[in-house]
Amino acid sequence: MELIMEVAASQFVWAILAIALAALVIREQRKENVKREDDLIKLYDRQVCDSRDREQQLLEHLDRTNKAHQETTETLKQIRNTLNQMEGRIDRMEKYYFKDTQRG
């Protein structure tokens, strides 16, 4: 029993226990850090994939929007041409009508 009391009171034993405890804490912290780093890498990879998907969707939407604008532009050109033709016809009709009214 005295031997156990001597060992328990020995500074050497307590120093060894403190070093062992510090080593254990450091080892656990490293494991935790590695796990956190892996989790961050996975999160980053997931965000990169999500960003690429969003970018692809935006590009597809932009393409559809550009096509719609092109169709609108073509339609407006056709409307302008039709209006120009109608204006020309009306001008000819006015000239013809005023010609007849000036004679008569």
Side-chain angles (χ1 to χ4, degrees):
M1 184 78 150
E2 281 183 35
L3 180 63
I4 294 175
M5 293 298 272
E6 264 183 52
V7 170
S10 168
Q11 289 181 355
F12 179 73
V13 171
W14 287 108
I16 298 263
L17 286 175
I19 292 171
L21 180 62
L24 182 65
V25 167
I26 290 171
R27 190 179 97 209
E28 289 301 315
Q29 291 244 336
R30 283 188 181 168
K31 283 182 185 178
E32 231 177 272
N33 287 343
V34 167
K35 184 184 178 301
R36 282 186 192 149
E37 186 177 340
D38 288 343
D39 290 345
L40 282 173
I41 289 171
K42 288 176 186 175
L43 179 64
Y44 174 77
D45 288 343
R46 192 174 336 127
Q47 287 178 343
V48 166
C49 288
D50 290 348
S51 295
R52 286 184 185 146
D53 291 343
R54 268 193 312 273
E55 181 182 7
Q56 185 61 35
Q57 290 172 354
L58 286 171
L59 288 174
E60 290 171 1
H61 178 71
L62 183 62
D63 286 342
R64 288 192 308 268
T65 303
N66 285 342
K67 288 177 184 176
H69 283 295
Q70 287 174 348
E71 290 173 4
T72 303
T73 302
E74 289 300 318
T75 302
L76 288 173
K77 285 179 183 178
Q78 290 173 356
I79 290 172
R80 185 181 64 204
N81 289 338
T82 303
L83 287 174
N84 286 338
Q85 289 173 357
M86 289 175 63
E87 186 178 345
R89 288 178 184 165
I90 290 173
D91 285 344
R92 286 193 303 271
M93 287 173 54
E94 287 176 344
K95 285 180 185 176
Y96 181 76
Y97 176 72
F98 284 126
K99 210 188 255 185
D100 286 345
T101 56
Q102 288 176 356
R103 287 185 193 169

